[in-house]
Amino acid sequence: MVKYRVSPYQSSRHRLKIEATFPCAGETTELLMSAWRPGRYEEGNFTRLVSHLHVFDDQSQRRFVEKTGKNSWSVETTDAQYIQVSYMYMGGEFNAGSTYLDENVLLINPINSLLYSDLKENNEIELHVDTEWNTFGVTEAQTNVFNFESFDQFFDQPILCARSVNTLKYEVQGIPFFIHLWSMPPIPEKRIIADFKAFTECQVQDFGSFPTDEFHFLLLGTPQAYLHGVEHLKSTVIVLGSNQEFTENFYFRLLSVASHELYHVWNIKTLRPKELMPYRYETLNYSRLGYIYEGVTTYLGDVYLFRSGFIDSDKYLKILSDLIQTHIDNPGRFSCSVADSSVDTWVDGYVMGTPGRKVSIYNEGALIAFMIDVQLRNCTKNKVRLETFMRCLYEKFGKNLQGYTQQDLYHTLFELSAYDFEPFFNQYVNKANGYESALTEALANLGYEIQLSHSASKFVRATGIRVIQRNHEFTVHSLAEGSPGMTGGLCEDDVLLALNGETFTKELAEAFFEQESVQEPILSVRRNHRMLEITLPMVQRTFYPKVTLKKTVTEDKRLLKNRELFGF
């Protein structure tokens, strides 16, 4: 048996003391820390949080430890039956996937904080948490001692320790679902139970069963404007802010991420690409299928809010138009396919990175899912939907814990629709391409069209410059291709200090470009501690058009039926 003990050490400095006991049966024993965590497809670098690592044997004799790799150590264990490992861990980053400690809360994610040795041999694990606070996330926990049958189960079990946690409960098909609220603004209890139960019922009904015997929503509030969720088989952790007050926007963001994370119980925690089955913790797990496990989840997570009645058709159309807006605003769609971008999450994580280099598996994946959904409906006279396809994958691969490939996607789609989707995948998934024409065709099948209009900001549409405000300064966030901002010589992350000699503000910029006749503006810019003056060459075109979805006027019975069955 492998035993762990996690103890708060200095809450004010986010320091945890971690102790572990490992059996050993050779001259050396390897200690490892996971290179990544499931749910975040980027390198974790968790060992940067580990310090003061010491190892003693069963005779209390100190053993020599040698760092052998980025995430590995070798311990000399000749004649030792087991070793006791202790180290300090810095839990100072508060997000849904981290291990965190302060004076009010302890969040443990074993995957990124606890060393391990042999995943194959050590199948029984015991975790002791030294805290007087109540624990949440595991129903059967009566004490602070938790037992696990495998490292896969252990690494997938976040534990929340805190006071003042409000727990709500509902059931779907006899399965208990728990909502644990910590540091959240007052949320009407009957409302959140009803809304969570509604989207849960829709998802469970479509898949026909739930992969586990219980589920926990661990909802944690933070004062900052923030949103982050991480999926697990039996739970999800969601960090949301600002928690200063309850607003409808706060509640919508909460429901949106909660529906998304619950769908992951099937789509990635049970049903996975072949290269992720099983997880390999010691190395990065590359896959080109992120558009399925994140894109489909993004799309259907919102569809279930629509189908369960939480949002109306106008709100759903706004969500869909925002996805299209993000797509056409990103020149990266002509540089990198969504399949290649799935691999590239491991290269530069979830940040924008080099401008125009890649796309998002969430955004582009959701649009791919939408177009597949419409085509399935179109080929089968609305008898088959994307939800049908996902259930077939779950039945064929998820329940048997067999990974799927892209070829399996083609075959399953063909079995359901008698339509060859491979050319579509080659054109829009495996190849860098714009989706505009395919989206136009898909929307036309529902009686809608894409309408482009001027950006609401005269400054943005005239210059092709988008800025964000940081610490009372305006920083260039993005530049439209061929725009005055780009051809004039601006660069992303430039700080705009002045416009024609006056301190730059959005109000000043809007007022300047409201004039009927505009002289070429001069921007004073700070770039990497250099001061520059840049003249923008004005052109007779506009940039960053606004996307809206407009219902077409039609008497076509097929289109009207498609629209009705989609929910519009």
Side-chain angles (χ1 to χ4, degrees):
M1 174 180 285
V2 177
K3 295 183 178 182
Y4 293 92
R5 179 180 291 268
V6 176
S7 307
Y9 185 75
Q10 278 185 311
S11 298
S12 61
R13 299 181 67 215
H14 314 293
R15 303 296 177 90
L16 287 159
K17 182 178 181 181
I18 296 177
E19 300 166 282
T21 302
F22 299 104
C24 41
E27 294 183 356
T28 61
T29 297
E30 187 177 32
L31 300 178
L32 299 165
M33 179 162 269
S34 183
W36 65 293
R37 64 166 178 79
R40 190 75 170 182
Y41 306 98
E42 64 178 354
E43 193 164 8
N45 294 315
F46 305 128
T47 55
R48 75 190 190 281
L49 305 173
V50 173
S51 65
H52 300 85
L53 176 66
H54 302 293
V55 179
F56 292 86
D57 63 20
D58 47 334
Q59 301 300 316
S60 300
Q61 297 297 306
R62 189 163 184 167
R63 292 289 178 140
F64 177 72
V65 183
E66 182 179 39
K67 190 75 183 287
T68 56
K70 191 173 184 179
N71 304 305
S72 61
W73 297 258
S74 179
V75 183
E76 189 277 311
T77 54
T78 302
D79 298 327
Q81 293 184 352
Y82 62 85
I83 53 174
Q84 295 176 319
V85 180
S86 68
Y87 57 95
M88 303 301 297
Y89 185 86
M90 177 69 174
E93 185 177 358
F94 185 50
N95 63 51
S98 65
T99 291
Y100 177 82
L101 172 69
D102 67 19
E103 296 86 346
N104 300 305
V105 65
L106 169 60
L107 175 64
I108 301 172
N109 271 288
I111 185 66
N112 56 37
S113 57
L114 301 182
L115 301 181
Y116 62 93
S117 180
D118 190 336
L119 295 178
K120 295 179 181 178
E121 299 298 331
N122 304 323
N123 289 325
E124 294 184 22
I125 302 118
E126 179 182 281
L127 170 64
H128 185 105
V129 183
D130 282 337
T131 178
E132 295 179 356
W133 298 333
N134 293 327
T135 58
F136 303 89
V138 184
T139 301
E140 65 269 16
Q142 301 298 321
T143 66
N144 290 340
V145 178
F146 306 89
N147 293 284
F148 304 91
E149 296 178 355
S150 69
F151 273 100
D152 280 334
Q153 183 189 65
F154 178 51
F155 284 158
D156 194 43
Q157 181 61 70
I159 297 173
L160 172 67
C161 307
R163 296 190 183 94
S164 303
V165 175
N166 183 25
T167 296
L168 309 174
K169 179 183 177 183
Y170 63 92
E171 289 191 3
V172 173
Q173 294 189 8
I175 299 164
F177 291 80
F178 301 88
I179 306 172
H180 308 287
L181 302 122
W182 178 81
S183 193
M184 297 286 278
I187 299 176
E189 293 185 2
K190 290 184 179 179
R191 182 179 179 186
I192 191 173
I193 290 174
D195 290 335
F196 271 56
K197 184 174 183 178
F199 71 69
T200 302
E201 286 176 334
C202 286
Q203 294 189 21
V204 173
Q205 180 180 9
D206 278 352
F207 277 106
S209 62
F210 196 64
T212 185
D213 56 359
E214 65 180 27
F215 193 80
H216 299 257
F217 294 93
L218 299 167
L219 310 182
L220 317 179
T222 182
Q224 293 78 29
Y226 190 75
L227 178 62
H228 184 220
V230 175
E231 67 271 13
H232 302 276
L233 182 63
K234 289 193 172 187
S235 64
T236 178
V237 181
I238 296 171
V239 177
L240 178 63
S242 164
N243 61 356
Q244 301 304 300
E245 63 176 339
F246 174 82
T247 64
E248 288 303 316
N249 182 55
F250 177 95
Y251 191 57
F252 166 73
R253 291 164 66 223
L254 171 60
L255 267 288
S256 181
V257 70
S259 178
H260 177 107
E261 300 303 339
L262 181 65
Y263 196 81
H264 270 314
V265 175
W266 294 275
N267 189 21
I268 198 58
K269 300 312 299 182
T270 309
L271 172 67
R272 292 183 217 157
K274 189 173 184 178
E275 52 268 35
L276 298 180
M277 186 70 77
Y279 289 138
R280 302 180 310 282
Y281 303 108
E282 73 284 356
T283 189
L284 308 186
N285 290 207
Y286 298 105
S287 173
R288 292 175 55 81
L289 298 171
Y291 60 91
I292 295 293
Y293 52 79
E294 290 296 353
V296 168
T297 302
T298 298
Y299 171 66
L300 287 179
D302 291 326
V303 165
Y304 281 113
L305 295 185
F306 182 31
R307 285 181 48 198
S308 65
F310 177 69
I311 59 175
D312 60 18
S313 58
D314 289 341
K315 179 66 174 178
Y316 180 73
L317 287 169
K318 179 63 169 61
I319 292 170
L320 187 56
S321 67
D322 286 346
L323 293 171
I324 298 171
Q325 182 81 63
T326 299
H327 175 74
I328 68 169
D329 285 350
N330 183 8
R333 67 192 190 278
F334 300 116
S335 172
C336 188
S337 70
V338 68
D340 285 346
S341 292
S342 181
V343 176
D344 270 355
T345 62
W346 298 94
V347 175
D348 51 7
Y350 290 68
V351 298
M352 184 176 72
T354 300
R357 191 183 75 83
K358 64 178 182 177
V359 295
S360 165
I361 60 174
Y362 296 81
N363 194 93
E364 265 59 27
L367 292 176
I368 291 293
F370 167 69
M371 291 186 284
I372 292 174
D373 189 12
V374 173
Q375 187 61 40
L376 283 171
R377 293 165 181 262
N378 193 41
C379 290
T380 64
K381 298 182 178 180
N382 291 294
K383 295 177 182 178
V384 174
R385 306 172 298 173
L386 187 67
E387 296 94 316
T388 319
F389 166 63
M390 293 304 294
R391 177 168 179 170
C392 283
L393 289 181
Y394 174 62
E395 296 285 346
K396 291 170 65 174
F397 302 100
K399 284 187 173 181
N400 299 321
L401 298 180
Q402 294 180 359
Y404 61 85
T405 66
Q406 192 170 71
Q407 287 294 324
D408 293 322
L409 303 181
Y410 302 157
H411 295 156
T412 305
L413 286 167
F414 187 80
E415 288 171 2
L416 290 170
S417 65
Y419 180 83
D420 183 7
F421 276 84
E422 189 168 355
F424 171 84
F425 275 75
N426 289 336
Q427 185 75 6
Y428 297 108
V429 173
N430 300 323
K431 180 181 177 182
N433 213 335
Y435 296 170
E436 289 87 335
S437 61
L439 285 167
T440 298
E441 182 179 346
L443 287 163
N445 275 294
L446 299 176
Y448 281 85
E449 63 182 6
I450 299 173
Q451 189 172 65
L452 300 179
S453 58
H454 286 315
S455 167
S457 168
K458 293 181 172 63
F459 169 70
V460 170
R461 74 187 189 215
T463 66
I465 303 169
R466 281 183 166 168
V467 298
I468 55 175
Q469 191 168 358
R470 295 174 179 164
N471 300 322
H472 308 292
E473 292 185 326
F474 293 90
T475 301
V476 176
H477 178 262
S478 60
L479 297 165
E481 293 288 326
S483 67
M486 180 174 287
T487 58
L490 278 176
C491 180
E492 290 82 2
D493 292 328
D494 280 353
V495 177
L496 306 186
L497 302 176
L499 172 62
N500 296 330
E502 295 186 54
T503 300
F504 186 92
T505 64
K506 284 188 175 181
E507 292 75 15
L508 174 68
E510 292 299 322
F512 178 80
F513 286 97
E514 281 179 359
Q515 302 175 86
E516 290 186 10
S517 178
V518 175
Q519 299 289 330
E520 290 187 340
I522 300 174
L523 289 172
S524 300
V525 174
R526 185 176 73 241
R527 179 186 299 166
N528 296 330
H529 307 292
R530 292 188 297 141
M531 308 301 293
L532 304 171
E533 284 201 349
I534 292 176
T535 300
L536 300 183
M538 301 311 296
V539 295
Q540 297 300 312
R541 55 176 291 204
T542 59
F543 303 91
Y544 288 125
K546 180 184 177 182
V547 172
T548 54
L549 299 181
K550 181 183 177 182
K551 184 184 293 186
T552 55
V553 178
T554 180
E555 295 182 0
D556 187 316
K557 292 182 179 180
R558 183 183 66 86
L559 293 185
L560 293 174
K561 189 66 174 178
N562 290 348
R563 187 186 289 169
E564 176 189 352
L565 291 175
F566 198 90
F568 296 137

